[in-house]
């Protein structure tokens, strides 16, 4: 009789079975395909990816027919530096004259209504002297401007501008003289009307110069 070295030969069967089941399960699971991820269903029932790409922003604007239209830009006209300086000086003169007109009108109105404002003759005279002096400075500044000679008609137009500026200074002086006159205010009132008309003429002449310059450079 052959002796059995292992008195319990069946004890290895169960571990071998368990090990075989583990190996079988591992092989079976790895052979399975990964589950498909369902996306949001579209109108036709097909699935689509949930990741959306934001389109890049274009610089053009889409028209009504779907075509792209580039943004419109405003054309600019480049003027020679000397003309730019000349026009800038006249624009500053217009601003200075507008402030002067407002000042003299306020002084004159206060004197006309002195019963309500309580302003004195001395105060009004001092204010009109200052306005008259400012009008002279204004006129002299306009006279110093030299228009470019390469623009047709600009020299004659500037002469009209200067004449209007001189009329402003003269009317301001007449307003002061009218205040000092022994009448009941007729001379002063007439001088104020002339002053306002001269100021309006100056502004119109400056606008005319701007039109001449633009026409000369083809920007009209």
């Amino acid at each position: 009789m052959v002796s059995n070295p292992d008195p319990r030969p069946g004890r290895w069967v169960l571990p071998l079975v368990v090990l075989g089941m583990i190996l079988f399960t591992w092989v079976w699971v790895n052979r399975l395909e990964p589950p498909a991820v369902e996306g949001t269903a579209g109108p036709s029932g097909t699935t689509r990816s949930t990741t959306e790409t934001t389109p890049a922003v274009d610089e053009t604007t889409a028209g009504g027919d779907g075509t792209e239209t580039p943004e419109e830009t405003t054309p600019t006209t480049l003027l020679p530096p000397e003309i730019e300086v000349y026009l800038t000086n006249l624009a500053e003169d217009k601003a200075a004259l507008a402030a002067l007109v407002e000042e003299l009108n306020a002084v004159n109105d206060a004197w006309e209504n002195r019963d309500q404002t309580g302003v004195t003759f001395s105060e009004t005279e001092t204010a009109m002297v200052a306005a008259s002096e400012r009008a002279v400075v204004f006129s002299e500044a306009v006279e110093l401007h030299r228009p470019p000679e390469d623009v047709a008609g600009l020299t004659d137009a500037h002469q009209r501008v200067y004449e209007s500026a001189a009329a402003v200074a003269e009317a301001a002086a007449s307003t002061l003289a009218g205040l000092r006159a022994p009448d009941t205010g007729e001379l002063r009132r007439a001088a104020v009307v002339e002053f306002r008309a001269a100021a309006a003429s100056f502004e119109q002449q400056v606008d005319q110069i701007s039109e001449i310059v633009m026409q000369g450079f083809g920007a009209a």
Side-chain angles (χ1 to χ4, degrees), residues 6 16 18 23 26 40 49 68 76 82 114 167 179 191 211:
D6 189 351
L16 291 176
V18 174
L23 291 175
W26 181 83
T40 304
S49 174
E68 295 181 349
T76 57
E82 61 274 12
R114 54 188 176 275
L179 176 68
E211 294 178 2

Side-chain angles (χ1 to χ4, degrees), residues 77-91 145-152 154 209-218:
T77 302
L78 297 179
L79 300 176
E82 61 274 12
I83 295 182
E84 288 282 3
V85 172
Y86 175 69
L87 294 180
T88 299
N89 290 335
L90 290 180
H145 300 331
R146 292 293 178 265
E149 298 178 355
D150 53 349
V151 179
L154 195 56
I209 282 183
S210 297
E211 294 178 2
I212 292 174
V213 170
M214 294 299 104
Q215 291 176 357
F217 286 89

